[in-house]
Amino acid sequence: MGNILKIIYDRTINNTILNLKDIEKILELLVIDRCLNNYILNIDIQQTRSNNLASYSSCTKEITIYIEMIEQMVKNIEKSILDINIFEIMLYKNLSILQVLLHEVEHANQQKIAYNENNLEAFILRLSFLVSSEYDDKLYECCPEERLAEIKSFGQIIDLMGCLNIPLIVLPKILETEEKMRLLRGYHYRNLMVNVPLIDYFNLGDKGEILECFDFLEMSHGQYSFNERLTFGFPISIDEYGGLMRDLVLSLNKNFNNKLNIIKY
Protein backbone atom coordinates (compact mmCIF):
# COMPACT_ATOMS: atom_id res chain seq x y z
CA MET A 1 0.00 0.00 0.00
CA GLY A 2 3.05 2.27 0.10
CA ASN A 3 2.67 3.34 -3.54
CA ILE A 4 -0.99 4.11 -2.98
CA LEU A 5 -0.19 6.16 0.10
CA LYS A 6 2.33 8.18 -1.93
CA ILE A 7 -0.31 8.96 -4.58
CA ILE A 8 -2.74 10.09 -1.88
CA TYR A 9 -0.13 12.20 -0.07
CA ASP A 10 1.25 13.83 -3.23
CA ARG A 11 -2.23 14.87 -4.36
CA THR A 12 -3.18 16.11 -0.91
CA ILE A 13 -0.03 18.15 -0.26
CA ASN A 14 -0.62 19.85 -3.62
CA ASN A 15 -4.24 20.56 -2.64
CA THR A 16 -5.71 18.54 -5.51
CA ILE A 17 -8.21 15.72 -5.84
CA LEU A 18 -7.32 12.30 -7.24
CA ASN A 19 -7.82 12.32 -11.00
CA LEU A 20 -8.93 9.53 -13.33
CA LYS A 21 -5.37 8.43 -14.00
CA ASP A 22 -4.74 8.20 -10.25
CA ILE A 23 -7.90 6.14 -9.78
CA GLU A 24 -6.91 3.71 -12.52
CA LYS A 25 -3.38 3.42 -11.12
CA ILE A 26 -4.64 2.79 -7.58
CA LEU A 27 -7.00 0.07 -8.81
CA GLU A 28 -4.16 -1.58 -10.73
CA LEU A 29 -1.98 -1.54 -7.61
CA LEU A 30 -4.79 -3.01 -5.49
CA VAL A 31 -5.36 -5.82 -7.98
CA ILE A 32 -1.67 -6.71 -7.83
CA ASP A 33 -1.44 -6.34 -4.05
CA ARG A 34 -4.49 -8.57 -3.41
CA CYS A 35 -3.66 -11.07 -6.19
CA LEU A 36 -7.03 -10.42 -7.83
CA ASN A 37 -6.04 -10.71 -11.50
CA ASN A 38 -8.60 -13.50 -11.95
CA TYR A 39 -11.37 -11.50 -10.26
CA ILE A 40 -10.93 -8.00 -11.76
CA LEU A 41 -10.46 -8.08 -15.51
CA ASN A 42 -11.45 -4.53 -16.43
CA ILE A 43 -11.90 -1.04 -14.99
CA ASP A 44 -14.55 1.18 -16.57
CA ILE A 45 -14.86 4.92 -15.85
CA GLN A 46 -18.28 6.36 -16.71
CA GLN A 47 -19.49 9.95 -16.61
CA THR A 48 -23.16 8.96 -16.62
CA ARG A 49 -25.03 9.66 -13.40
CA SER A 50 -25.91 6.59 -11.34
CA ASN A 51 -27.35 5.95 -7.90
CA ASN A 52 -24.01 4.42 -6.99
CA LEU A 53 -20.49 5.74 -6.67
CA ALA A 54 -19.09 2.54 -8.12
CA SER A 55 -19.98 -1.09 -8.72
CA TYR A 56 -18.43 -4.51 -9.18
CA SER A 57 -19.84 -7.28 -11.34
CA SER A 58 -18.89 -10.82 -10.38
CA CYS A 59 -20.16 -11.94 -13.81
CA THR A 60 -18.05 -9.64 -16.00
CA LYS A 61 -15.37 -9.18 -13.30
CA GLU A 62 -15.46 -5.45 -13.98
CA ILE A 63 -15.28 -2.45 -11.65
CA THR A 64 -17.21 0.59 -12.85
CA ILE A 65 -16.59 4.07 -11.41
CA TYR A 66 -19.32 6.69 -11.84
CA ILE A 67 -17.36 9.91 -11.89
CA GLU A 68 -20.29 12.32 -11.50
CA MET A 69 -21.26 10.66 -8.23
CA ILE A 70 -17.65 10.77 -7.03
CA GLU A 71 -17.66 14.50 -7.71
CA GLN A 72 -20.94 14.87 -5.83
CA MET A 73 -19.49 12.98 -2.85
CA VAL A 74 -16.52 15.36 -2.76
CA LYS A 75 -18.86 18.38 -2.80
CA ASN A 76 -20.90 16.91 0.04
CA ILE A 77 -17.75 16.49 2.12
CA GLU A 78 -16.98 20.19 1.69
CA LYS A 79 -20.44 21.07 3.00
CA SER A 80 -20.65 18.62 5.87
CA ILE A 81 -17.36 18.82 7.82
CA LEU A 82 -16.91 21.31 10.67
CA ASP A 83 -13.69 22.99 11.90
CA ILE A 84 -11.04 21.23 9.82
CA ASN A 85 -7.89 22.63 8.20
CA ILE A 86 -7.23 22.70 4.45
CA PHE A 87 -4.79 19.77 4.47
CA GLU A 88 -7.08 17.49 6.47
CA ILE A 89 -10.18 18.27 4.39
CA MET A 90 -8.26 17.52 1.19
CA LEU A 91 -6.86 14.33 2.72
CA TYR A 92 -10.36 13.32 3.78
CA LYS A 93 -11.67 13.84 0.24
CA ASN A 94 -8.89 11.73 -1.29
CA LEU A 95 -9.21 9.01 1.34
CA SER A 96 -12.97 8.94 0.71
CA ILE A 97 -12.35 8.31 -2.98
CA LEU A 98 -9.87 5.59 -2.02
CA GLN A 99 -12.46 4.03 0.27
CA VAL A 100 -14.90 3.75 -2.65
CA LEU A 101 -12.22 1.90 -4.63
CA LEU A 102 -11.34 -0.34 -1.68
CA HIS A 103 -15.02 -1.20 -1.24
CA GLU A 104 -15.36 -2.45 -4.81
CA VAL A 105 -12.04 -4.29 -4.71
CA GLU A 106 -13.26 -5.96 -1.52
CA HIS A 107 -16.29 -7.27 -3.42
CA ALA A 108 -13.89 -8.95 -5.83
CA ASN A 109 -11.87 -10.21 -2.88
CA GLN A 110 -15.05 -11.69 -1.40
CA GLN A 111 -15.34 -13.96 -4.42
CA LYS A 112 -11.79 -15.12 -3.77
CA ILE A 113 -12.43 -15.62 -0.05
CA ALA A 114 -15.73 -17.44 -0.52
CA TYR A 115 -14.36 -20.10 -2.83
CA ASN A 116 -10.82 -20.47 -1.54
CA GLU A 117 -10.95 -20.13 2.24
CA ASN A 118 -12.53 -22.07 5.08
CA ASN A 119 -13.35 -19.55 7.79
CA LEU A 120 -16.34 -17.70 9.24
CA GLU A 121 -16.25 -14.90 6.68
CA ALA A 122 -16.09 -17.33 3.77
CA PHE A 123 -18.99 -19.34 5.26
CA ILE A 124 -21.21 -16.27 5.64
CA LEU A 125 -20.36 -15.04 2.14
CA ARG A 126 -21.17 -18.39 0.53
CA LEU A 127 -24.54 -18.44 2.29
CA SER A 128 -25.28 -14.82 1.38
CA PHE A 129 -24.77 -15.63 -2.30
CA LEU A 130 -27.84 -17.89 -2.05
CA VAL A 131 -30.16 -14.89 -1.59
CA SER A 132 -31.62 -13.74 -4.90
CA SER A 133 -30.34 -10.46 -6.35
CA GLU A 134 -33.95 -9.31 -6.70
CA TYR A 135 -33.74 -8.42 -2.99
CA ASP A 136 -30.58 -6.29 -3.33
CA ASP A 137 -32.18 -2.86 -2.89
CA LYS A 138 -34.48 -3.99 -0.10
CA LEU A 139 -31.73 -5.71 1.88
CA TYR A 140 -28.80 -3.42 1.15
CA GLU A 141 -28.15 -2.18 4.69
CA CYS A 142 -28.15 -5.67 6.22
CA CYS A 143 -26.43 -7.51 3.35
CA PRO A 144 -23.27 -9.25 4.66
CA GLU A 145 -21.37 -8.55 1.44
CA GLU A 146 -22.07 -4.81 1.60
CA ARG A 147 -21.53 -4.48 5.34
CA LEU A 148 -18.22 -6.35 5.19
CA ALA A 149 -17.01 -4.34 2.19
CA GLU A 150 -17.76 -1.07 3.98
CA ILE A 151 -16.34 -2.11 7.36
CA LYS A 152 -13.15 -3.64 5.96
CA SER A 153 -12.48 -0.77 3.56
CA PHE A 154 -12.81 1.79 6.36
CA GLY A 155 -10.49 -0.28 8.52
CA GLN A 156 -7.95 -0.24 5.70
CA ILE A 157 -8.30 3.55 5.36
CA ILE A 158 -7.68 4.04 9.09
CA ASP A 159 -4.63 1.75 8.96
CA LEU A 160 -3.28 3.62 5.94
CA MET A 161 -3.78 7.01 7.60
CA GLY A 162 -1.75 5.79 10.57
CA CYS A 163 1.22 5.22 8.23
CA LEU A 164 1.41 8.89 7.28
CA ASN A 165 3.21 9.84 10.51
CA ILE A 166 1.71 13.33 10.29
CA PRO A 167 -0.01 15.04 13.25
CA LEU A 168 -3.73 15.20 12.40
CA ILE A 169 -6.22 17.06 14.57
CA VAL A 170 -9.75 16.28 13.41
CA LEU A 171 -9.55 13.61 10.69
CA PRO A 172 -8.83 10.58 12.94
CA LYS A 173 -12.03 11.24 14.90
CA ILE A 174 -14.02 11.75 11.70
CA LEU A 175 -12.84 8.44 10.26
CA GLU A 176 -13.53 6.68 13.56
CA THR A 177 -17.08 8.05 13.37
CA GLU A 178 -17.45 6.88 9.79
CA GLU A 179 -16.33 3.40 10.82
CA LYS A 180 -18.87 3.30 13.67
CA MET A 181 -21.62 4.26 11.23
CA ARG A 182 -20.70 1.26 9.08
CA LEU A 183 -20.55 -1.10 12.04
CA LEU A 184 -24.02 0.01 13.14
CA ARG A 185 -25.52 -0.18 9.65
CA GLY A 186 -28.44 -2.58 9.70
CA TYR A 187 -28.92 -2.44 13.49
CA HIS A 188 -32.04 -0.70 14.83
CA TYR A 189 -33.74 -0.44 18.20
CA ARG A 190 -37.36 -1.51 17.84
CA ASN A 191 -39.97 -2.77 20.27
CA LEU A 192 -37.51 -2.90 23.19
CA MET A 193 -35.11 -5.04 21.14
CA VAL A 194 -32.13 -4.61 18.84
CA ASN A 195 -32.61 -6.43 15.55
CA VAL A 196 -29.91 -8.69 14.09
CA PRO A 197 -28.82 -7.77 10.53
CA LEU A 198 -27.80 -11.32 9.59
CA ILE A 199 -31.19 -12.68 10.70
CA ASP A 200 -33.03 -9.89 8.84
CA TYR A 201 -31.05 -10.56 5.69
CA PHE A 202 -31.95 -14.23 5.37
CA ASN A 203 -35.52 -13.87 6.64
CA LEU A 204 -36.37 -10.96 4.35
CA GLY A 205 -34.46 -12.60 1.50
CA ASP A 206 -36.77 -15.62 1.72
CA LYS A 207 -33.97 -17.89 2.93
CA GLY A 208 -34.89 -18.17 6.60
CA GLU A 209 -33.97 -21.86 6.69
CA ILE A 210 -30.30 -20.87 6.33
CA LEU A 211 -30.42 -19.44 9.85
CA GLU A 212 -30.42 -23.00 11.18
CA CYS A 213 -26.71 -23.02 10.31
CA PHE A 214 -26.03 -20.51 13.10
CA ASP A 215 -26.14 -20.81 16.88
CA PHE A 216 -27.23 -17.29 17.77
CA LEU A 217 -27.52 -18.07 21.47
CA GLU A 218 -23.86 -19.12 21.54
CA MET A 219 -22.93 -15.99 19.56
CA SER A 220 -24.48 -13.83 22.26
CA HIS A 221 -22.51 -15.38 25.14
CA GLY A 222 -18.85 -14.60 24.72
CA GLN A 223 -17.68 -16.66 21.75
CA TYR A 224 -17.18 -13.50 19.70
CA SER A 225 -16.00 -10.05 20.71
CA PHE A 226 -18.28 -7.02 20.41
CA ASN A 227 -16.40 -5.82 17.33
CA GLU A 228 -16.60 -9.27 15.69
CA ARG A 229 -20.34 -9.45 16.31
CA LEU A 230 -20.81 -5.98 14.81
CA THR A 231 -18.66 -6.85 11.80
CA PHE A 232 -20.61 -10.00 10.94
CA GLY A 233 -24.04 -8.65 11.87
CA PHE A 234 -24.46 -10.96 14.88
CA PRO A 235 -26.60 -10.18 17.96
CA ILE A 236 -25.62 -7.29 20.24
CA SER A 237 -27.26 -6.19 23.49
CA ILE A 238 -29.39 -3.10 24.05
CA ASP A 239 -26.64 -1.67 26.28
CA GLU A 240 -23.98 -2.28 23.63
CA TYR A 241 -26.15 -0.70 20.96
CA GLY A 242 -27.03 2.27 23.15
CA GLY A 243 -23.42 2.96 24.12
CA LEU A 244 -22.14 2.90 20.55
CA MET A 245 -25.07 4.94 19.25
CA ARG A 246 -24.54 7.56 21.96
CA ASP A 247 -20.86 7.90 21.02
CA LEU A 248 -21.80 8.12 17.36
CA VAL A 249 -24.41 10.86 17.85
CA LEU A 250 -22.04 12.94 19.99
CA SER A 251 -19.31 12.67 17.37
CA LEU A 252 -21.67 13.51 14.51
CA ASN A 253 -22.89 16.61 16.34
CA LYS A 254 -19.34 17.73 17.04
CA ASN A 255 -17.69 17.09 13.68
CA PHE A 256 -20.40 17.20 11.03
CA ASN A 257 -22.79 19.83 9.75
CA ASN A 258 -26.04 18.26 8.54
CA LYS A 259 -24.39 14.89 8.00
CA LEU A 260 -25.42 13.51 4.63
CA ASN A 261 -25.72 9.78 4.02
CA ILE A 262 -27.36 9.82 0.61
CA ILE A 263 -24.86 7.89 -1.47
CA LYS A 264 -25.05 4.13 -1.74
CA TYR A 265 -21.99 2.02 -2.54
Side-chain angles (χ1 to χ4, degrees):
M1 295 283 277
N3 290 334
I4 293 173
L5 183 60
K6 186 179 187 306
I7 295 171
I8 297 291
Y9 179 79
D10 287 348
R11 283 295 172 192
T12 301
I13 202 69
N14 288 298
N15 201 34
T16 55
I17 297 294
L18 294 172
N19 59 36
L20 294 181
K21 187 174 291 187
D22 296 328
I23 288 173
E24 291 176 343
K25 182 62 177 178
I26 288 171
L27 284 171
E28 289 174 6
L29 290 170
L30 287 171
V31 169
I32 294 169
D33 183 62
R34 308 285 173 83
C35 299
L36 293 173
N37 301 76
N38 294 329
Y39 300 90
I40 300 176
L41 302 180
N42 190 41
I43 299 163
D44 183 25
I45 307 292
Q46 294 192 10
Q47 291 287 338
T48 308
R49 180 171 290 277
S50 165
N51 290 328
N52 299 331
L53 291 163
S55 62
Y56 169 73
S57 169
S58 59
C59 296
T60 63
K61 295 178 171 46
E62 180 176 81
I63 288 179
T64 304
I65 307 295
Y66 302 101
I67 202 64
E68 284 187 6
M69 291 303 288
I70 295 289
E71 292 170 352
Q72 184 61 52
M73 177 189 71
V74 170
K75 290 178 183 177
N76 287 342
I77 288 172
E78 190 75 46
K79 296 175 183 177
S80 64
I81 304 299
L82 296 171
D83 301 324
I84 189 170
N85 62 53
I86 293 173
F87 177 82
E88 288 193 47
I89 190 71
M90 186 58 64
L91 179 58
Y92 182 42
K93 291 175 182 178
N94 284 326
L95 287 176
S96 295
I97 295 172
L98 175 60
Q99 187 270 327
V100 173
L101 306 182
L102 288 169
H103 176 109
E104 299 309 330
V105 169
E106 187 57 37
H107 279 317
N109 193 46
Q110 287 171 351
Q111 298 291 316
K112 180 181 176 182
I113 290 171
Y115 299 112
N116 292 279
E117 297 185 18
N118 185 25
N119 54 34
L120 178 60
E121 181 178 0
F123 178 63
I124 290 173
L125 288 170
R126 287 195 294 269
L127 293 178
S128 74
F129 294 163
L130 299 176
V131 174
S132 171
S133 60
E134 70 180 276
Y135 295 102
D136 283 355
D137 289 339
K138 177 182 178 182
L139 301 180
Y140 181 82
E141 72 167 8
C142 60
C143 174
E145 298 158 63
E146 296 299 337
R147 293 187 77 257
L148 284 166
E150 278 290 275
I151 291 166
K152 291 178 74 173
S153 60
F154 262 98
Q156 291 158 8
I157 288 292
I158 291 171
D159 290 343
L160 190 66
M161 186 182 63
C163 297
L164 277 173
N165 295 318
I166 296 174
L168 299 170
I169 301 169
V170 179
L171 189 53
K173 187 63 178 178
I174 288 174
L175 290 176
E176 180 184 329
T177 301
E178 294 274 16
E179 185 179 39
K180 287 179 181 176
M181 289 175 63
R182 272 60 182 190
L183 287 166
L184 275 172
R185 177 175 285 176
Y187 287 98
H188 303 284
Y189 179 73
R190 298 185 183 125
N191 302 319
L192 303 178
M193 295 179 62
V194 178
N195 69 302
V196 181
L198 196 67
I199 292 177
D200 288 348
Y201 180 71
F202 289 114
N203 277 337
L204 297 175
D206 199 28
K207 292 290 182 180
E209 68 276 8
I210 288 177
L211 295 171
E212 296 177 9
C213 298
F214 299 94
D215 186 340
F216 289 99
L217 182 62
E218 187 176 354
M219 288 176 187
S220 303
H221 290 80
Q223 182 179 1
Y224 301 100
S225 69
F226 180 41
N227 191 70
E228 287 174 328
R229 284 181 284 125
L230 284 169
T231 298
F232 293 114
F234 292 169
I236 62 173
S237 71
I238 292 175
D239 288 343
E240 289 171 329
Y241 175 84
L244 189 56
M245 181 60 75
R246 180 176 59 253
D247 292 344
L248 178 57
V249 170
L250 289 173
S251 181
L252 286 172
N253 290 338
K254 181 178 179 181
N255 297 302
F256 294 90
N257 176 34
N258 188 28
K259 175 63 180 173
L260 299 175
N261 190 26
I262 63 171
I263 297 177
K264 185 172 72 173
Y265 300 92

